[in-house]
Amino acid sequence: MSASERQPIRRALISVSDKTGLLELAHALNAHGVEIWSTGGTADFLRTAKLPVVDVGSKTGFPEIMDGRIKTLHPRVHGGLLGREHLDAAVMAEHGIEALDLLVVNLYPFAKTIAKPGAKLDDAIENIDIGGPAMLRAAAKNHERVSVLSDWDDYPEIIFALRLGGSTLEQRRRLAAKAYAHTADYDGRIAEYLGARAQAGSGVEKFAPTLHLSMRRGDPLRYGENPHQAAALYLEQPSSPATVGGARVLQGKALSFNNLVDADAAWACVSAFDEPACVIVKHANPCGVAVAESLFDAYERAFATDPVSAFGGIIACNRILDGNTARAIVERQFVEVIIAPGYHELALAALASKPNVRVLVCTLQAPGSESGLDYKRIGGGMLVQEADRPALDFSSLVVPSQRQPSAQEYADLMFAWKVAMYVKSNAIVYARGGRSIGIGAGQMSRVVSAEIAAWKARAANLTVAGSAMASDAFFPFRDGIDAAAKVGIRAVIQPGGSMRDKEVIEAADEHGMAMVFTGVRHFRH
């Protein structure tokens, strides 16, 4: 059969947990003379809508038993799905097996069940579908003849196909692949859930014995980090609108691999602030960060931190982008991506003058509310960890220095600490008055990062004296403190915990610095 030939749909079996879109599909099937078989609650649902339905039990000669655990596991169901035209016609006739041309199945809501607060193991077990995956696999295997629908998003496609006389092989092959992806994801979730609970009485393992990633390919990417590398974006399901992967694109060229990496870093950083904030990122590192009473002022201050690096950067805002700020951006600098929770009409009009700029909408969420795991690919495996959290327990802060920070210094330290969390290690951030003054990132030596931060500030004609400094990890030697003192740093925040903490504290005291220990490290590799 060629891909252009259509396979008629004469008989369909429908058994769904999620009834979304079902009535429209069922009415279309009925209007085209398709015989509908169904089970349990789905059959009742269709009958309530005055649709003719044949009970599967009347065809199998076997009732639903064990509270519905067994209802479709029968040769007259699976034979109807697996039977091949011509090859199996004789055996089907011998055993009274009627061909099923369409299967419509979505599975028990296992993922939703285990996501509920206080979900019990018994409830999870009861929401493991057996007959549904078996039918999906059978129909998908026999896609040469059978169409399979596992997602209500695909119902309109089959409704349209009915009008044309049936489905094409290309359609059935694509729907079959989707059905297998659906059952693979379903089984993977079950395997991880049960695997984490395999040891009776030992609680729940944080990391299951096996990891099953199931993601949907998103928009095509032009290339990877470099033009000779092919690349694709894969999205978690469901994709969250509070993530860069789930962001809505309003305008611009297709996003690149590097655009997405940088946009993700920018959005994570700007989301950590409650006040109107702007973050400019270049090569996955913030090069300018600021908060202010208005988004316009926040952008102005962030840009002034490092105007050179801001060229070709990614700009993230945690407020709806207004027209004045948008105009300032497009008039002042070349920007690859702008990401914000929304845009005023005047902002969109200003950005439209730069049609290549990618404009993204992303939903804000409370800092620290993100959930899930971080993954990093290495040769031969995958590193998995809990996502880092920006929250800081103020009760755990320790001031080991002789001088206590002033109220303003505390505010500067907290700001610098937030920024440092999103800077590649070794990270040093100089900040004052709600803005970054200089940032040193990704160096092999922490003292070199401190020197780079000072150099960046000088290059932007910003005064370091009186600023606060944040370090993402402890100072192994006093040299970083000495370097900061030379340029006028007055307060330092760092995790502490070095074998030479005493030496580092003494250096701070010699320079009259206030020092705060957080007890928390924020490496970012």
Side-chain angles (χ1 to χ4, degrees), residues 249-385:
V249 180
L250 300 185
Q251 76 162 50
K253 295 189 297 185
L255 288 158
S256 72
F257 185 101
N258 294 336
N259 289 156
L260 289 164
V261 171
D262 289 349
D264 187 58
W267 187 246
C269 185
V270 83
S271 298
F273 294 96
D274 296 322
E275 314 94 314
C278 179
V279 174
I280 305 175
V281 161
K282 192 70 170 290
H283 299 311
N285 272 307
C287 60
V289 182
V291 296
E293 291 186 3
S294 72
L295 189 59
F296 179 85
D297 288 339
Y299 165 69
E300 293 269 301
R301 303 173 85 211
F303 178 83
T305 300
D306 192 349
V308 174
S309 296
F311 181 84
I314 309 294
I315 298 176
C317 307
N318 67 352
R319 294 291 190 275
I320 293 175
L321 187 63
D322 59 275
N324 286 339
T325 306
R327 281 191 294 272
I329 291 171
V330 298
E331 290 171 4
R332 174 176 293 159
Q333 69 170 107
F334 167 56
V335 58
E336 291 274 8
V337 179
I338 298 175
I339 182 167
Y343 298 82
H344 288 293
E345 289 184 9
L346 292 176
L348 292 174
L351 296 172
S353 67
K354 302 289 184 180
N356 286 337
V357 175
R358 294 88 163 177
V359 177
L360 277 61
V361 177
C362 202
T363 304
L364 277 172
Q365 60 182 355
S369 63
E370 65 276 6
S371 61
L373 301 171
D374 279 343
Y375 304 93
K376 187 180 292 289
R377 179 81 166 87
I378 62 169
M382 184 87 75
L383 296 171
V384 183
Q385 65 175 350

